[in-house]
Amino acid sequence: MGKVGRFACIFTPMVLTLVSLGLLIAVSLGGTNKGNDGLNKLWFFRANTSDIQVNATEVNVPDSILQYFNVNVSSTANTTGIYDFYHVSLWNYCAGDFDNNNTASKDNTNDHVSFCSKHTNYFWFNPVEVWGLNQTAADQLFGKELTAGLKAYRQVAKWMFVAYVVAIIATIVEVLVGFFALFSRWGSLATTIVSSISSLFIMGFALTATILYATLTGTFNTALKKYNIHASVGRDIFVLLWLAVAFSWASGVFWLFSSCCCSGRSNKIKGYGDNAGRKGMKAERTPYTYERVQSPFLGQSGNAGPAPSYHQNVPMDNMGPKASAYEPYRHGEP
C-alpha cells in the first residue's frame, strides 16, 4: 500500500474527528444570538413559568415576593411579572415569551427570545438571582429540596464546563497531530492517544450534562409543581452532543487501525510485490561472497557435453614394484 492508500486510510478518521469538533462547537453556540431561531433551540434546560400560580393563602412568603411575580395578596395568578420561559445553555441563559401565549407555542415551536445574559465561564442558572429574589425569603418559596439541589448543581456545572474545554482543546490537537499520521504509523499512534483523551472528556461532558440537567429538571418539577412551574430537558442540543461522542469514538477506532495497518511503503519498494516488481532488481555483490563457477566440462551454453573418458590411452604395462609410496603409478619405458 503506497501513499495513496495511506491517505485513504487517514481520510476517514480525520473526517470523523472534524465532524465531532463541529458538533462540539455547535453545542457551545446555544444562546449566543437571540435573533437566530436555530441557535435558540440549543438549550440544556428550560423553566416554563408562563402559567405560574402562587396562592397567597397557602404560601407563607413576604408580600414583596408575591408582588415581584405580579401576584396580589388576594389573587392566585401571575400575568406579566417574569418571562414565559428561561433557556439554560453552556455559557448563559436566554428568556422570552411564547408567541400568542397559546398551547402550541408552549411545545417549543414559536419561542420568542427577547433577552440573553452575558457569557460567563462556569455558568449555572440561579433562579434566585435571575428572578431578583436576592435578600428575600426565597427558601420559603423554593423549599429546602430545591435549595440543596441548586447548590449541588452549581458545583457539578463547574466540572462540566472544564470537561467541555478540555474536550474541545484535545479535539483540536487531535486534528493537528492527525496530519503527521499521513507520513508514518507512529503519527497514527500519537493521534490515537490524543483521540482517546478527547473521547473520554467528550463522553464525560455528555454524561455530566445529561445526568445533571435530568436531575435538575426532576427537582424543579417536584419542588415547584405547586406553583405550576414546569421544567424540561432540551432535545436538539443533546442529540448534537451524543453524536459528537459517537463520531469521536469512531475516529479513535480508525486511528488505531491506521497505526497497525495501512503502511505507506510500497510492496515493490520493499521487494515483496509481484514478479514484475522483482525483475528489475539486481542484488548487489558484496566482498568475499561465494559464487558458483562454471564447470570446465560444460560448454559456453552451459549444456553438458559427452561424458569424459578417464584412463584412455594409458599403457597398461607391468609397472613392477612401486618405487616409492608417493608414486601411485608410472608409465612404461619409452
Side-chain angles (χ1 to χ4, degrees), residues 167-334:
I168 199 167
I169 292 176
T171 306
I172 294 175
V173 174
E174 179 182 350
V175 173
L176 298 178
V177 178
F179 286 103
F180 294 96
L182 181 63
F183 305 103
S184 69
R185 285 182 287 186
W186 286 107
S188 293
L189 181 60
T191 310
T192 302
I193 296 174
V194 178
S195 179
S196 300
I197 297 174
S198 173
S199 299
L200 287 175
F201 276 94
I202 294 176
M203 176 167 280
F205 170 64
L207 282 175
T208 304
T210 302
I211 297 174
L212 174 63
Y213 286 107
T215 304
L216 184 64
T217 298
T219 304
F220 254 75
N221 289 332
T222 300
L224 303 180
K225 182 179 180 180
K226 57 186 175 183
Y227 308 124
N228 208 20
I229 297 177
H230 305 285
S232 58
V233 177
R235 180 192 61 184
D236 297 342
I237 195 169
F238 281 105
V239 171
L240 296 180
L241 182 54
W242 282 104
L243 282 176
V245 174
F247 279 104
S248 180
W249 281 108
S251 67
V253 172
F254 279 97
W255 285 125
L256 180 61
F257 176 78
S258 66
S259 65
C260 61
C261 306
C262 301
S263 175
R265 296 181 180 180
S266 174
N267 289 337
K268 293 184 178 181
I269 295 177
K270 293 190 296 182
Y272 297 109
D274 52 11
N275 293 331
R278 290 181 292 182
K279 286 182 179 179
M281 299 179 61
K282 185 176 181 181
E284 181 181 359
R285 297 180 180 179
T286 58
Y288 309 107
T289 56
Y290 170 79
E291 293 185 20
R292 183 177 179 179
V293 298
Q294 191 174 20
S295 173
F297 301 104
L298 301 178
Q300 295 296 329
S301 61
N303 297 325
S309 176
Y310 298 98
H311 307 293
Q312 293 182 358
N313 301 324
V314 178
M316 303 299 293
D317 297 343
N318 186 8
M319 298 179 183
K322 295 181 180 180
S324 65
Y326 298 100
E327 184 176 0
Y329 61 85
R330 63 180 178 179
H331 299 285
E333 297 293 337

Side-chain angles (χ1 to χ4, degrees), residues 53-94:
Q53 294 180 354
V54 179
N55 193 333
T57 61
E58 297 180 0
V59 181
N60 184 20
V61 294
D63 293 345
S64 59
I65 297 180
L66 298 178
Q67 291 174 359
Y68 174 79
F69 290 107
N70 201 22
V71 176
N72 296 324
V73 176
S74 59
S75 178
T76 60
N78 168 53
T79 55
T80 59
I82 56 177
Y83 290 107
D84 286 346
F85 61 85
Y86 293 83
H87 290 169
V88 178
S89 302
L90 180 64
W91 308 91
N92 61 345
Y93 77 91
C94 292

